[in-house]
Amino acid sequence: MAASILHRAAGVAIYGGLLILAGWVFALEAGPAPFTAYVGALHTPLGLTVLFLITLALFFHLANGVRHLAWDIGAGFLPKTASATAWAAFLLAAAINMVFWFALVAAGKV
Amino acid sequence: MSDLSTPLRRARGLGSAKTGVGHFIGQRVSAVALLLLAPWALWSGAHLAGHDYDRVRMWLASPVNATLLVLAVLAGFYHGQLGLRVIIEDYIGKHTTRTLLLILNTFVAAAAAALTVICILGVSFGGGSV
């Protein structure tokens, strides 16, 4: 049940991420100065925290979304299975997010 | 014979949301598209992080990158708009407020998607302020 409401919350967070992406492309179109300023804002501690949470939401929404698609074809409905896949989605999302950001930091991009 | 409607005709439009199958299918199809496009977008984002203005423009000049980004944006806003619609329908009880929010949802998604696509195309074709 928690996965269900988290799935919705994550979706809303990703929607915010899409708006941030829209701003990024808008700034790119506007010129070098606006673009550099926009990217600079994303690189502040607050900006990076927001991006970190959005990628976490995205990985979780992806993993949980696969659960939903599995249910759509009729698989994984037993309560025990559903609980197990819910935990798998949480843990997978958290792990992949950590790896993603670790790789970004290691590559010097952050 | 008082009612000439078929059973299907009588059943259509019932329920709180009135329609649902199109939404269901649209949500699933865009989800499958995003299963491919979202990881690509994340990968590209990671690649572009730390690049300066000129290198990002060069990346977007490639028609493949521009196309995939446009598709990701369209699928994303479509999927997100459908999802937000479910949230609004579920949690807003008052009919007038709900209707207004549903219309706003569609307008915001459409406007944001249009703006983003136009900017992507603009940069990709070499336009915008240089």
Side-chain angles (χ1 to χ4, degrees), chain B residues 14-53:
Chain B
L14 298 178
S16 65
K18 312 294 177 239
T19 56
V21 179
H23 178 289
F24 183 90
I25 292 173
Q27 195 68 314
R28 267 64 180 173
V29 173
S30 56
V32 172
L34 286 165
L35 272 179
L36 303 165
L37 291 167
W40 172 85
L42 273 176
W43 173 262
S44 305
H47 170 72
L48 289 172
H51 281 354
D52 65 5
Y53 175 79

mmCIF file of all heavy atoms in Angstrom, chain B residues 14-53:
data_model
loop_
_atom_site.group_PDB
_atom_site.id
_atom_site.type_symbol
_atom_site.label_atom_id
_atom_site.label_comp_id
_atom_site.label_asym_id
_atom_site.label_seq_id
_atom_site.Cartn_x
_atom_site.Cartn_y
_atom_site.Cartn_z
ATOM 1 N N LEU B 14 -20.650 5.574 -17.974
ATOM 2 C CA LEU B 14 -21.028 5.429 -16.568
ATOM 3 C C LEU B 14 -19.769 5.465 -15.698
ATOM 4 O O LEU B 14 -18.664 5.297 -16.172
ATOM 5 C CB LEU B 14 -21.779 4.113 -16.354
ATOM 6 C CG LEU B 14 -23.096 3.985 -17.122
ATOM 7 C CD1 LEU B 14 -23.719 2.618 -16.879
ATOM 8 C CD2 LEU B 14 -24.069 5.074 -16.715
ATOM 9 N N GLY B 15 -19.943 5.682 -14.401
ATOM 10 C CA GLY B 15 -18.782 5.726 -13.518
ATOM 11 C C GLY B 15 -18.327 7.160 -13.297
ATOM 12 O O GLY B 15 -18.698 8.068 -14.015
ATOM 13 N N SER B 16 -17.481 7.358 -12.276
ATOM 14 C CA SER B 16 -17.134 8.727 -11.883
ATOM 15 C C SER B 16 -16.286 9.434 -12.931
ATOM 16 O O SER B 16 -16.418 10.620 -13.148
ATOM 17 C CB SER B 16 -16.413 8.715 -10.533
ATOM 18 O OG SER B 16 -15.176 8.052 -10.660
ATOM 19 N N ALA B 17 -15.416 8.702 -13.589
ATOM 20 C CA ALA B 17 -14.551 9.352 -14.566
ATOM 21 C C ALA B 17 -15.170 9.368 -15.944
ATOM 22 O O ALA B 17 -14.633 9.996 -16.845
ATOM 23 C CB ALA B 17 -13.190 8.658 -14.606
ATOM 24 N N LYS B 18 -16.253 8.685 -16.123
ATOM 25 C CA LYS B 18 -16.992 8.632 -17.395
ATOM 26 C C LYS B 18 -16.314 7.787 -18.458
ATOM 27 O O LYS B 18 -16.934 7.001 -19.134
ATOM 28 C CB LYS B 18 -17.279 10.039 -17.985
ATOM 29 C CG LYS B 18 -17.849 11.021 -17.010
ATOM 30 C CD LYS B 18 -19.244 10.590 -16.548
ATOM 31 C CE LYS B 18 -19.779 11.546 -15.511
ATOM 32 N NZ LYS B 18 -20.092 10.900 -14.217
ATOM 33 N N THR B 19 -15.033 7.991 -18.658
ATOM 34 C CA THR B 19 -14.323 7.171 -19.647
ATOM 35 C C THR B 19 -13.060 6.659 -18.991
ATOM 36 O O THR B 19 -12.573 7.254 -18.040
ATOM 37 C CB THR B 19 -13.928 7.982 -20.881
ATOM 38 O OG1 THR B 19 -13.153 9.097 -20.442
ATOM 39 C CG2 THR B 19 -15.126 8.480 -21.636
ATOM 40 N N GLY B 20 -12.550 5.561 -19.482
ATOM 41 C CA GLY B 20 -11.360 5.053 -18.815
ATOM 42 C C GLY B 20 -10.451 4.190 -19.653
ATOM 43 O O GLY B 20 -9.251 4.155 -19.400
ATOM 44 N N VAL B 21 -11.007 3.519 -20.638
ATOM 45 C CA VAL B 21 -10.166 2.561 -21.363
ATOM 46 C C VAL B 21 -9.066 3.268 -22.141
ATOM 47 O O VAL B 21 -7.925 2.841 -22.145
ATOM 48 C CB VAL B 21 -11.025 1.698 -22.320
ATOM 49 C CG1 VAL B 21 -10.142 0.741 -23.078
ATOM 50 C CG2 VAL B 21 -12.063 0.944 -21.527
ATOM 51 N N GLY B 22 -9.441 4.387 -22.777
ATOM 52 C CA GLY B 22 -8.425 5.122 -23.530
ATOM 53 C C GLY B 22 -7.299 5.584 -22.627
ATOM 54 O O GLY B 22 -6.119 5.495 -22.963
ATOM 55 N N HIS B 23 -7.690 6.071 -21.441
ATOM 56 C CA HIS B 23 -6.706 6.515 -20.451
ATOM 57 C C HIS B 23 -5.791 5.363 -20.073
ATOM 58 O O HIS B 23 -4.570 5.493 -20.043
ATOM 59 C CB HIS B 23 -7.454 7.043 -19.226
ATOM 60 C CG HIS B 23 -6.570 7.489 -18.113
ATOM 61 N ND1 HIS B 23 -5.827 6.620 -17.327
ATOM 62 C CD2 HIS B 23 -6.299 8.728 -17.655
ATOM 63 C CE1 HIS B 23 -5.168 7.312 -16.415
ATOM 64 N NE2 HIS B 23 -5.419 8.580 -16.596
ATOM 65 N N PHE B 24 -6.414 4.203 -19.785
ATOM 66 C CA PHE B 24 -5.649 3.026 -19.365
ATOM 67 C C PHE B 24 -4.625 2.646 -20.420
ATOM 68 O O PHE B 24 -3.456 2.437 -20.136
ATOM 69 C CB PHE B 24 -6.636 1.878 -19.122
ATOM 70 C CG PHE B 24 -6.009 0.614 -18.616
ATOM 71 C CD1 PHE B 24 -5.878 0.390 -17.257
ATOM 72 C CD2 PHE B 24 -5.566 -0.366 -19.498
ATOM 73 C CE1 PHE B 24 -5.311 -0.790 -16.780
ATOM 74 C CE2 PHE B 24 -4.999 -1.537 -19.027
ATOM 75 C CZ PHE B 24 -4.872 -1.752 -17.668
ATOM 76 N N ILE B 25 -5.079 2.570 -21.664
ATOM 77 C CA ILE B 25 -4.183 2.152 -22.742
ATOM 78 C C ILE B 25 -3.100 3.194 -22.953
ATOM 79 O O ILE B 25 -1.919 2.881 -23.069
ATOM 80 C CB ILE B 25 -4.984 1.900 -24.038
ATOM 81 C CG1 ILE B 25 -5.878 0.685 -23.862
ATOM 82 C CG2 ILE B 25 -4.052 1.726 -25.224
ATOM 83 C CD1 ILE B 25 -6.826 0.448 -25.012
ATOM 84 N N GLY B 26 -3.494 4.475 -22.974
ATOM 85 C CA GLY B 26 -2.523 5.545 -23.173
ATOM 86 C C GLY B 26 -1.461 5.537 -22.100
ATOM 87 O O GLY B 26 -0.273 5.721 -22.367
ATOM 88 N N GLN B 27 -1.894 5.303 -20.856
ATOM 89 C CA GLN B 27 -0.945 5.274 -19.753
ATOM 90 C C GLN B 27 0.061 4.142 -19.927
ATOM 91 O O GLN B 27 1.256 4.312 -19.687
ATOM 92 C CB GLN B 27 -1.723 5.104 -18.438
ATOM 93 C CG GLN B 27 -0.936 5.394 -17.183
ATOM 94 C CD GLN B 27 -0.580 6.847 -17.035
ATOM 95 O OE1 GLN B 27 -0.121 7.485 -17.985
ATOM 96 N NE2 GLN B 27 -0.743 7.403 -15.855
ATOM 97 N N ARG B 28 -0.432 2.975 -20.336
ATOM 98 C CA ARG B 28 0.459 1.808 -20.464
ATOM 99 C C ARG B 28 1.404 1.944 -21.656
ATOM 100 O O ARG B 28 2.585 1.620 -21.563
ATOM 101 C CB ARG B 28 -0.367 0.514 -20.612
ATOM 102 C CG ARG B 28 -0.639 -0.169 -19.306
ATOM 103 C CD ARG B 28 -1.492 0.658 -18.386
ATOM 104 N NE ARG B 28 -1.759 0.002 -17.121
ATOM 105 C CZ ARG B 28 -2.376 0.582 -16.097
ATOM 106 N NH1 ARG B 28 -2.807 1.822 -16.218
ATOM 107 N NH2 ARG B 28 -2.599 -0.074 -14.980
ATOM 108 N N VAL B 29 0.860 2.421 -22.776
ATOM 109 C CA VAL B 29 1.709 2.532 -23.970
ATOM 110 C C VAL B 29 2.804 3.569 -23.740
ATOM 111 O O VAL B 29 3.972 3.347 -24.066
ATOM 112 C CB VAL B 29 0.855 2.874 -25.208
ATOM 113 C CG1 VAL B 29 1.727 3.165 -26.407
ATOM 114 C CG2 VAL B 29 -0.095 1.731 -25.525
ATOM 115 N N SER B 30 2.428 4.720 -23.152
ATOM 116 C CA SER B 30 3.458 5.731 -22.887
ATOM 117 C C SER B 30 4.447 5.227 -21.835
ATOM 118 O O SER B 30 5.623 5.567 -21.873
ATOM 119 C CB SER B 30 2.826 7.060 -22.452
ATOM 120 O OG SER B 30 2.005 6.885 -21.334
ATOM 121 N N ALA B 31 3.970 4.387 -20.920
ATOM 122 C CA ALA B 31 4.871 3.815 -19.917
ATOM 123 C C ALA B 31 5.922 2.941 -20.575
ATOM 124 O O ALA B 31 7.114 3.024 -20.238
ATOM 125 C CB ALA B 31 4.079 2.992 -18.899
ATOM 126 N N VAL B 32 5.501 2.104 -21.519
ATOM 127 C CA VAL B 32 6.457 1.236 -22.213
ATOM 128 C C VAL B 32 7.452 2.080 -22.996
ATOM 129 O O VAL B 32 8.658 1.813 -22.983
ATOM 130 C CB VAL B 32 5.716 0.242 -23.139
ATOM 131 C CG1 VAL B 32 6.695 -0.526 -23.990
ATOM 132 C CG2 VAL B 32 4.879 -0.712 -22.309
ATOM 133 N N ALA B 33 6.956 3.123 -23.662
ATOM 134 C CA ALA B 33 7.868 4.012 -24.395
ATOM 135 C C ALA B 33 8.873 4.639 -23.440
ATOM 136 O O ALA B 33 10.069 4.730 -23.724
ATOM 137 C CB ALA B 33 7.071 5.096 -25.118
ATOM 138 N N LEU B 34 8.395 5.043 -22.266
ATOM 139 C CA LEU B 34 9.275 5.704 -21.304
ATOM 140 C C LEU B 34 10.251 4.723 -20.660
ATOM 141 O O LEU B 34 11.327 5.116 -20.210
ATOM 142 C CB LEU B 34 8.450 6.417 -20.232
ATOM 143 C CG LEU B 34 7.785 7.690 -20.743
ATOM 144 C CD1 LEU B 34 6.714 8.166 -19.788
ATOM 145 C CD2 LEU B 34 8.828 8.782 -20.924
ATOM 146 N N LEU B 35 9.897 3.426 -20.630
ATOM 147 C CA LEU B 35 10.842 2.424 -20.132
ATOM 148 C C LEU B 35 12.141 2.474 -20.917
ATOM 149 O O LEU B 35 13.215 2.175 -20.399
ATOM 150 C CB LEU B 35 10.242 1.014 -20.271
ATOM 151 C CG LEU B 35 9.393 0.487 -19.126
ATOM 152 C CD1 LEU B 35 8.878 -0.904 -19.454
ATOM 153 C CD2 LEU B 35 10.189 0.437 -17.834
ATOM 154 N N LEU B 36 12.026 2.859 -22.192
ATOM 155 C CA LEU B 36 13.215 2.981 -23.027
ATOM 156 C C LEU B 36 13.751 4.410 -23.028
ATOM 157 O O LEU B 36 14.960 4.637 -22.949
ATOM 158 C CB LEU B 36 12.873 2.561 -24.466
ATOM 159 C CG LEU B 36 12.314 1.151 -24.615
ATOM 160 C CD1 LEU B 36 11.668 0.969 -25.981
ATOM 161 C CD2 LEU B 36 13.424 0.137 -24.418
ATOM 162 N N LEU B 37 12.852 5.376 -23.114
ATOM 163 C CA LEU B 37 13.285 6.764 -23.280
ATOM 164 C C LEU B 37 13.836 7.370 -21.996
ATOM 165 O O LEU B 37 14.784 8.164 -22.042
ATOM 166 C CB LEU B 37 12.101 7.613 -23.789
ATOM 167 C CG LEU B 37 11.662 7.321 -25.218
ATOM 168 C CD1 LEU B 37 10.316 7.968 -25.506
ATOM 169 C CD2 LEU B 37 12.694 7.826 -26.204
ATOM 170 N N ALA B 38 13.276 7.010 -20.852
ATOM 171 C CA ALA B 38 13.737 7.615 -19.598
ATOM 172 C C ALA B 38 15.177 7.216 -19.262
ATOM 173 O O ALA B 38 15.983 8.098 -18.932
ATOM 174 C CB ALA B 38 12.784 7.273 -18.456
ATOM 175 N N PRO B 39 15.532 5.922 -19.324
ATOM 176 C CA PRO B 39 16.946 5.582 -19.099
ATOM 177 C C PRO B 39 17.873 6.280 -20.094
ATOM 178 O O PRO B 39 18.944 6.760 -19.703
ATOM 179 C CB PRO B 39 16.975 4.059 -19.291
ATOM 180 C CG PRO B 39 15.609 3.614 -18.944
ATOM 181 C CD PRO B 39 14.703 4.697 -19.430
ATOM 182 N N TRP B 40 17.445 6.368 -21.367
ATOM 183 C CA TRP B 40 18.262 7.079 -22.347
ATOM 184 C C TRP B 40 18.463 8.538 -21.929
ATOM 185 O O TRP B 40 19.565 9.088 -22.002
ATOM 186 C CB TRP B 40 17.611 7.033 -23.743
ATOM 187 C CG TRP B 40 18.315 7.913 -24.724
ATOM 188 C CD1 TRP B 40 19.408 7.619 -25.483
ATOM 189 C CD2 TRP B 40 17.996 9.273 -25.016
ATOM 190 N NE1 TRP B 40 19.794 8.703 -26.226
ATOM 191 C CE2 TRP B 40 18.936 9.728 -25.970
ATOM 192 C CE3 TRP B 40 17.004 10.159 -24.573
ATOM 193 C CZ2 TRP B 40 18.914 11.039 -26.486
ATOM 194 C CZ3 TRP B 40 16.975 11.448 -25.079
ATOM 195 C CH2 TRP B 40 17.929 11.873 -26.024
ATOM 196 N N ALA B 41 17.361 9.168 -21.480
ATOM 197 C CA ALA B 41 17.431 10.566 -21.067
ATOM 198 C C ALA B 41 18.357 10.733 -19.861
ATOM 199 O O ALA B 41 19.149 11.681 -19.803
ATOM 200 C CB ALA B 41 16.036 11.096 -20.743
ATOM 201 N N LEU B 42 18.272 9.810 -18.900
ATOM 202 C CA LEU B 42 19.150 9.880 -17.732
ATOM 203 C C LEU B 42 20.604 9.715 -18.144
ATOM 204 O O LEU B 42 21.484 10.441 -17.659
ATOM 205 C CB LEU B 42 18.782 8.784 -16.736
ATOM 206 C CG LEU B 42 17.685 9.122 -15.737
ATOM 207 C CD1 LEU B 42 17.375 7.909 -14.886
ATOM 208 C CD2 LEU B 42 18.118 10.279 -14.851
ATOM 209 N N TRP B 43 20.847 8.770 -19.019
ATOM 210 C CA TRP B 43 22.198 8.533 -19.507
ATOM 211 C C TRP B 43 22.729 9.784 -20.206
ATOM 212 O O TRP B 43 23.858 10.205 -19.983
ATOM 213 C CB TRP B 43 22.190 7.344 -20.469
ATOM 214 C CG TRP B 43 23.493 7.125 -21.165
ATOM 215 C CD1 TRP B 43 23.861 7.518 -22.404
ATOM 216 C CD2 TRP B 43 24.629 6.441 -20.626
ATOM 217 N NE1 TRP B 43 25.150 7.131 -22.697
ATOM 218 C CE2 TRP B 43 25.639 6.469 -21.621
ATOM 219 C CE3 TRP B 43 24.879 5.801 -19.400
ATOM 220 C CZ2 TRP B 43 26.890 5.881 -21.420
ATOM 221 C CZ3 TRP B 43 26.124 5.225 -19.216
ATOM 222 C CH2 TRP B 43 27.118 5.266 -20.221
ATOM 223 N N SER B 44 21.896 10.383 -21.051
ATOM 224 C CA SER B 44 22.303 11.594 -21.764
ATOM 225 C C SER B 44 22.555 12.734 -20.788
ATOM 226 O O SER B 44 23.512 13.494 -20.943
ATOM 227 C CB SER B 44 21.230 12.012 -22.770
ATOM 228 O OG SER B 44 20.949 10.962 -23.638
ATOM 229 N N GLY B 45 21.680 12.839 -19.796
ATOM 230 C CA GLY B 45 21.848 13.889 -18.794
ATOM 231 C C GLY B 45 23.165 13.739 -18.062
ATOM 232 O O GLY B 45 23.896 14.713 -17.839
ATOM 233 N N ALA B 46 23.489 12.480 -17.705
ATOM 234 C CA ALA B 46 24.757 12.231 -17.027
ATOM 235 C C ALA B 46 25.922 12.593 -17.941
ATOM 236 O O ALA B 46 26.924 13.168 -17.497
ATOM 237 C CB ALA B 46 24.839 10.762 -16.611
ATOM 238 N N HIS B 47 25.776 12.271 -19.224
ATOM 239 C CA HIS B 47 26.835 12.575 -20.190
ATOM 240 C C HIS B 47 27.018 14.083 -20.336
ATOM 241 O O HIS B 47 28.132 14.583 -20.406
ATOM 242 C CB HIS B 47 26.473 11.948 -21.540
ATOM 243 C CG HIS B 47 27.342 12.385 -22.674
ATOM 244 N ND1 HIS B 47 28.646 11.972 -22.823
ATOM 245 C CD2 HIS B 47 27.109 13.210 -23.708
ATOM 246 C CE1 HIS B 47 29.157 12.526 -23.912
ATOM 247 N NE2 HIS B 47 28.248 13.285 -24.470
ATOM 248 N N LEU B 48 25.887 14.818 -20.375
ATOM 249 C CA LEU B 48 25.953 16.254 -20.626
ATOM 250 C C LEU B 48 26.300 17.075 -19.387
ATOM 251 O O LEU B 48 26.656 18.249 -19.511
ATOM 252 C CB LEU B 48 24.609 16.746 -21.174
ATOM 253 C CG LEU B 48 24.283 16.318 -22.587
ATOM 254 C CD1 LEU B 48 22.854 16.711 -22.930
ATOM 255 C CD2 LEU B 48 25.239 16.952 -23.586
ATOM 256 N N ALA B 49 26.199 16.474 -18.216
ATOM 257 C CA ALA B 49 26.525 17.203 -16.990
ATOM 258 C C ALA B 49 27.970 17.658 -17.057
ATOM 259 O O ALA B 49 28.864 16.906 -17.438
ATOM 260 C CB ALA B 49 26.311 16.309 -15.770
ATOM 261 N N GLY B 50 28.217 18.909 -16.729
ATOM 262 C CA GLY B 50 29.589 19.397 -16.747
ATOM 263 C C GLY B 50 30.031 19.912 -18.107
ATOM 264 O O GLY B 50 31.089 20.527 -18.220
ATOM 265 N N HIS B 51 29.239 19.648 -19.158
ATOM 266 C CA HIS B 51 29.601 20.191 -20.466
ATOM 267 C C HIS B 51 29.164 21.646 -20.558
ATOM 268 O O HIS B 51 28.152 22.039 -19.990
ATOM 269 C CB HIS B 51 28.915 19.405 -21.581
ATOM 270 C CG HIS B 51 29.604 18.102 -21.884
ATOM 271 N ND1 HIS B 51 30.790 17.733 -21.317
ATOM 272 C CD2 HIS B 51 29.254 17.094 -22.706
ATOM 273 C CE1 HIS B 51 31.136 16.553 -21.765
ATOM 274 N NE2 HIS B 51 30.229 16.134 -22.604
ATOM 275 N N ASP B 52 29.918 22.420 -21.346
ATOM 276 C CA ASP B 52 29.548 23.824 -21.469
ATOM 277 C C ASP B 52 28.506 23.999 -22.584
ATOM 278 O O ASP B 52 28.111 23.067 -23.260
ATOM 279 C CB ASP B 52 30.773 24.699 -21.707
ATOM 280 C CG ASP B 52 31.450 24.392 -23.037
ATOM 281 O OD1 ASP B 52 30.918 23.569 -23.797
ATOM 282 O OD2 ASP B 52 32.520 24.976 -23.302
ATOM 283 N N TYR B 53 28.116 25.232 -22.744
ATOM 284 C CA TYR B 53 27.047 25.612 -23.653
ATOM 285 C C TYR B 53 27.262 25.067 -25.073
ATOM 286 O O TYR B 53 26.367 24.464 -25.672
ATOM 287 C CB TYR B 53 26.937 27.142 -23.666
ATOM 288 C CG TYR B 53 25.966 27.713 -24.648
ATOM 289 C CD1 TYR B 53 24.602 27.724 -24.363
ATOM 290 C CD2 TYR B 53 26.396 28.250 -25.854
ATOM 291 C CE1 TYR B 53 23.698 28.249 -25.254
ATOM 292 C CE2 TYR B 53 25.491 28.787 -26.751
ATOM 293 C CZ TYR B 53 24.142 28.774 -26.444
ATOM 294 O OH TYR B 53 23.250 29.290 -27.327
#
